[in-house]
Amino acid sequence: MNSVNEVSNTQSTPVNKKRGFWKICGIIIGIIILMIIGLYGFLQFKIKTVRDIEPFDDPALKLQSVQVSVGDNAFNDLEEISELLVYPKDKSQSEKLDNILDGKEWDESFVNDLVEKNKSALDALNKANEKPNFQVPAFADPSKITYKTIGGPLGSLRQIVKIKSLQAELELRQGKPDEALDDALKIVGIGQKLEDSQGILIAYLVDISVKKTGLTRIDHILATNRNDLKNLNDFKNKLSKYQNDKEGLKTAIKVEYIIFSSGVDYVSSGLLKNSEKNSKISELFNNLFYFQPNKTKKLYADWTTTEIANVDKPCSNIIRTDREDISKLPKWKLIWHENAAGEIMFNSASEAREKLQNKRCEMEEMTEKIIQEMQ
C-alpha cells in the first residue's frame, strides 16, 4: 500500500510544479498589465490636468521702431545692386575669382573686365556707403515682424563686396595703395552699417562676412605695401569706429525672439500646413501636454537673455548650457516628456544660432589685430 502511495506522489510532483510555474507567470503578467494600465492612467491624468504657464512680457526683450528717411537709408542702393550685378555664373570662373581673392593666382585682364562690367553696381555700393544708415523697412517696426518677414539684399551683397575687394587689389597693383586701402575700408564700413541695423541673425552673419572681406584685404595691403601708405593714421582712426560688433548682435538676437514667438503663435493656431509639419512632432502640437506655447516662448526668452549677456562677456567666458536633444528619443520615451514639441522647436531654433557668438569674437579679434598693425 505504501509503495502505491509513493508512486502516486512521485507522478503528481511534476504536475504540481508545472501548475506552480504557470501560476507565477500569470501573477507576473497580471502585475505587468496592472503597471501598464496604471502608467497609462497616470499619463492620461497628467495630459488632462497639465496647464501652460501664464503669458509673460519681458520689457528687456522689446525693440523700438526705427525711423530712417529714404534719403538717409542705404537699403535702396544695396537693393539696386541685385539688378546691376554681373557675377560669373560659370563654376570655373567663380572659382578663379575666389582664387584671386585668396592670392592663389592673378589675372589682370579677368579682374579688369569684371570691375568694368560692374561699374554701375560698384557705384551703387559707393552711394550706399555714403548714406548714414541702413535699415530693412520690413524690420523697422517690431510690431509688424513675423516668422514670414523677409529682408535684405544678402546674396548680391556678398558678391559685390568680393568684386570691390578685387578692385582694391587691382589699384594696389597699379601703384595706388591709398586708394586700395580706402576701397577696402569702404567694405568694412558697409558691413558695420548693416550690423548696426535692426535685422535677423542670418543678416548679421552676412554683415560679418562683408566686414571680413574688407578686413582681409586691408591685412593684405598692410603686409605688402605698408611703407607706401601716406595716411595710415587716418585709416586707423576710421577703422577704430568699426569695432562695435556687439550692439548689432544684441538687436538681432531680440529680433529672432520676436520671430520665434510669432512662429509659436502660428503653430498653436492650428493652421500649420502639411508641407510645414515635422512628421515626428506635428501630431503633438494639438495636445497641451506636448506643446505649451507660453512655456516654449519662455524657453527662448531665457536663452535670449543669456545670449545677450554673453555678448558683453569676454569670449573665453561665454556661458553654454547643455541641452538634451529630445528629438532623438524613441517615441515611447517622447510621450512622457512634457512640452516635448515645444522643446524640439526651441532646440532647433537656438542651437545653430549660438555659433554666431564665435563669429562675433573672431571679428573683434581680427579688427583689433589690424588696428595694432597700423600703430
Side-chain angles (χ1 to χ4, degrees):
M1 187 71 174
N2 288 337
S3 61
V4 173
N5 288 337
E6 287 174 6
V7 171
S8 176
N9 289 336
T10 303
Q11 290 176 343
S12 65
T13 299
V15 174
N16 291 336
K17 285 183 178 180
K18 187 175 288 188
R19 286 175 180 170
F21 171 77
W22 285 113
K23 186 176 181 180
I24 292 171
C25 286
I27 292 171
I28 293 172
I29 292 171
I31 291 172
I32 292 173
I33 291 172
L34 286 173
M35 286 177 64
I36 292 172
I37 293 172
L39 288 171
Y40 178 77
F42 178 65
L43 178 60
Q44 291 303 308
F45 173 77
K46 288 186 70 176
I47 289 174
K48 290 178 180 178
T49 58
V50 73
R51 295 289 181 270
D52 196 0
I53 64 172
E54 292 295 316
F56 65 95
D57 186 22
D58 190 341
L61 301 183
K62 288 188 176 295
L63 290 170
Q64 301 296 317
S65 290
V66 178
Q67 303 294 330
V68 180
S69 66
V70 175
D72 288 340
N73 195 350
F75 174 78
N76 288 333
D77 300 301
L78 295 180
E79 276 280 281
E80 187 183 3
I81 289 173
S82 60
E83 299 176 2
L84 301 171
L85 183 70
V86 180
Y87 199 80
K89 295 180 180 179
D90 182 75
K91 184 179 179 181
S92 63
Q93 294 294 294
S94 62
E95 287 178 351
K96 184 185 189 74
L97 188 157
D98 289 334
N99 286 337
I100 293 173
L101 282 172
D102 294 337
K104 296 176 181 177
E105 63 176 289
W106 176 252
D107 186 333
E108 187 160 335
S109 175
F110 174 82
V111 174
N112 260 319
D113 183 58
L114 195 58
V115 170
E116 186 61 31
K117 286 179 178 177
N118 283 281
K119 188 175 183 305
S120 297
L122 290 167
D123 286 343
L125 185 69
N126 290 334
K127 279 178 63 179
N129 189 62
E130 292 168 2
K131 302 286 177 69
N133 302 105
F134 171 85
Q135 179 57 50
V136 178
F139 290 97
D141 184 353
S143 68
K144 296 180 180 178
I145 297 174
T146 73
Y147 71 97
K148 289 184 176 180
T149 306
I150 302 172
L154 304 181
S156 59
L157 182 60
R158 288 194 197 200
Q159 294 172 334
I160 193 60
V161 297
K162 285 185 177 183
I163 296 171
K164 185 71 172 174
S165 182
L166 287 183
Q167 184 182 39
E169 179 63 19
L170 183 63
E171 290 165 342
L172 187 66
R173 290 172 181 266
Q174 292 173 343
K176 299 180 280 188
D178 286 284
E179 288 183 30
L181 191 58
D182 185 60
D183 275 332
L185 194 61
K186 285 177 181 177
I187 297 173
V188 180
I190 283 288
Q192 184 67 53
K193 207 185 303 286
L194 271 65
E195 270 188 42
D196 293 340
S197 69
Q198 190 160 280
I200 53 178
L201 279 174
I202 188 65
Y204 180 86
L205 187 60
V206 172
D207 307 339
I208 287 285
S209 173
V210 168
K211 282 185 77 173
K212 187 175 181 179
T213 299
L215 289 170
T216 302
R217 183 57 54 199
I218 290 173
D219 196 37
H220 171 70
I221 294 169
L222 291 174
T224 56
N225 292 73
R226 179 188 175 91
N227 294 333
D228 298 325
L229 295 166
K230 299 174 183 177
N231 302 309
L232 193 56
N233 195 55
D234 289 342
F235 284 122
K236 185 191 78 171
N237 292 335
K238 289 178 182 177
L239 183 59
S240 297
K241 297 176 182 178
Y242 301 146
Q243 283 186 280
N244 186 6
D245 300 302
K246 295 181 177 180
E247 295 308 312
L249 181 54
K250 289 179 184 178
T251 300
I253 291 171
K254 291 179 182 180
V255 170
E256 289 292 328
Y257 169 68
I258 295 172
I259 292 172
F260 181 81
S261 295
S262 169
V264 170
D265 289 338
Y266 175 63
V267 171
S268 62
S269 71
L271 300 175
L272 206 62
K273 299 174 184 176
N274 288 331
S275 59
E276 299 170 321
K277 291 180 179 179
N278 179 314
S279 59
K280 189 165 187 177
I281 64 171
S282 57
E283 63 200 63
L284 304 178
F285 284 133
N286 296 324
N287 190 312
L288 188 62
F289 180 79
Y290 299 113
F291 180 58
Q292 297 162 27
N294 293 333
K295 187 177 284 187
T296 303
K297 290 180 185 179
K298 187 68 167 60
L299 282 172
Y300 203 92
D302 291 343
W303 174 85
T304 300
T305 302
T306 299
E307 285 302 300
I308 289 173
N310 278 338
V311 174
D312 289 321
K313 286 182 168 64
C315 293
S316 58
N317 293 343
I318 289 176
I319 298 172
R320 283 284 172 261
T321 303
D322 292 331
R323 294 190 298 271
E324 181 187 11
D325 185 2
I326 65 169
S327 66
K328 295 179 181 178
L329 291 176
K331 197 166 184 178
W332 67 269
K333 281 189 177 182
L334 198 64
I335 63 172
W336 290 95
H337 204 103
E338 185 176 338
N339 197 33
E343 283 194 31
I344 291 172
M345 275 187 72
F346 162 69
N347 287 341
S348 63
S350 61
E351 187 175 0
R353 288 160 172 74
E354 289 178 351
K355 297 175 183 177
L356 286 175
Q357 293 279 7
N358 298 333
K359 296 290 184 181
R360 187 263 305 174
C361 291
E362 178 187 334
M363 194 53 47
E364 289 178 354
E365 291 168 4
M366 189 175 185
T367 307
E368 182 61 32
K369 171 182 170 289
I370 291 174
I371 289 174
Q372 291 297 323
E373 289 174 357
M374 287 182 168
Q375 301 290 0

